[in-house]
Amino acid sequence: MPGLRVTPVHRHGQARLYVSLPDGRSVAWYDRDTGRVSLLLDDRRDEVLAALRPYAVGELTVGPPPVPTPADLVRLSLHPDDDLAPNRPGEAILTELERYASQHRFRADPRRRELAAQQLAGAALERLEGAGWRVLHSVPLPGEARIDHLLVGPAGVLTVRSLATQRHRVRIADPLVTVGRAASVPYLRRARHEAERASLALAAAVRPVLVLVGAERVELGPPGIRGVTVLKDSEIPDLARTGGVLKPADVESLYWTARDRRTWLRV
């Protein structure tokens, strides 16, 4: 039906279709598992049902929504254009590659290694959702900076930076990280700075994590690593065994705050 937009959402085992006005306000949602249409504006009933007709299966139950949880209230007020949840691992790099594909037609684009690292780490982080974690990818910050991955779960909030190491030896002398024979780069300083910005945005404690994707071996020099957790990509599942900081309701609240693009505008 003209004027209404249907947006599918399938995360954390829940499959829904949200129906919204052109300005982004939700008017209804359809729960595919139960066949129920929760209607927020009764005068839009016929339009909503017409918009959902191509997607609905079987008989529909139509009525007012159940009493919303705090997470539901945030979800209903979030415009689809401001929702970061659909971002794929390496979303920003994928966009750049599509935009400038012709410039690297005859040579390897180094950004593809970075993209592969973010995709591998991102897939491993998403598998933590069964243990109560929530993950966002490619979170935009002012100044064209990005947080590769943001993880919210029982052990708190983590910013995760993925580093492609391609079966090289990795040497760490805080704040510098050296991959193979490449020049040393202050990745640990950058990881700490990202966590500080995330902490300001979310008004919560945030810890930085650096994931070494494909490292052959890791050598740690003096004086050790201050305030950054460094993991190989094979160690990401170990995060599922950490906890004791946030309750499930707190995880959901922080996750829904983080997935709103507007949260990150002033950090």
Side-chain angles (χ1 to χ4, degrees):
M1 196 77 177
L4 294 183
R5 174 165 54 179
V6 178
T7 304
V9 175
H10 192 122
R11 289 183 65 83
H12 320 311
Q14 186 179 65
R16 284 182 175 179
L17 293 172
Y18 284 87
V19 184
S20 57
L21 297 170
D23 63 5
R25 287 180 297 140
S26 293
V27 295
W29 70 82
Y30 166 53
D31 191 317
R32 284 175 159 163
D33 295 328
T34 63
R36 178 181 175 82
V37 178
S38 295
L39 198 61
L40 297 171
L41 299 178
D42 192 61
D43 61 344
R44 294 272 184 167
R45 179 189 181 102
D46 291 341
E47 294 175 73
V48 167
L49 293 179
L52 289 172
R53 191 171 295 123
Y55 310 97
V57 177
E59 283 194 35
L60 298 180
T61 303
V62 183
V67 177
T69 65
D72 288 329
L73 293 174
V74 175
R75 182 188 299 115
L76 291 171
S77 66
L78 184 57
H79 192 287
D81 292 342
D82 291 321
D83 192 354
L84 300 178
N87 282 5
R88 299 162 293 179
E91 184 75 40
I93 302 175
L94 283 165
T95 301
E96 290 178 5
L97 290 173
E98 292 168 359
R99 186 178 303 164
Y100 303 111
S102 61
Q103 298 181 13
H104 292 266
R105 186 175 300 172
F106 300 109
R107 67 183 187 275
D109 191 324
R111 288 173 295 187
R112 293 195 178 277
R113 292 193 296 271
E114 184 180 351
L115 173 61
Q118 290 194 32
Q119 290 174 330
L120 193 152
L125 292 169
E126 288 176 357
R127 287 193 286 271
L128 298 176
E129 291 189 343
W133 291 82
R134 300 288 181 261
V135 61
L136 295 169
H137 306 290
S138 199
V139 176
L141 300 175
E144 299 186 356
R146 299 269 170 173
I147 295 173
D148 290 351
H149 318 278
L150 185 84
L151 197 60
V152 186
V157 184
L158 310 176
T159 52
V160 182
R161 173 178 277 262
S162 307
L163 180 59
T165 56
Q166 300 174 300
R167 298 188 297 278
H168 288 302
R169 178 182 63 172
V170 179
R171 289 164 291 169
I172 301 176
D174 196 356
L176 300 176
V177 178
T178 307
V179 179
R181 297 182 180 180
S184 300
V185 179
Y187 286 117
L188 297 182
R189 182 182 299 147
R190 295 179 186 179
R192 282 191 284 264
H193 185 51
E194 289 170 355
E196 289 168 2
R197 297 179 75 175
S199 181
L200 288 173
L202 299 174
V206 180
R207 293 180 290 126
V209 176
L210 179 65
V211 175
L212 307 175
V213 179
E216 181 75 18
R217 70 176 187 272
V218 180
E219 298 178 358
L220 179 61
I225 302 173
R226 177 179 59 84
V228 182
T229 300
V230 178
L231 303 173
K232 291 183 177 180
D233 58 279
S234 59
E235 297 172 318
I236 288 177
D238 295 343
L239 293 173
R241 293 190 286 273
T242 60
V245 176
L246 295 179
K247 297 178 181 178
D250 298 325
V251 171
E252 289 301 312
S253 178
L254 280 167
Y255 169 72
W256 279 97
T257 299
R259 67 184 283 180
D260 188 341
R261 187 184 304 274
R262 296 166 295 182
T263 297
W264 307 94
L265 293 180
R266 297 183 181 181
V267 295

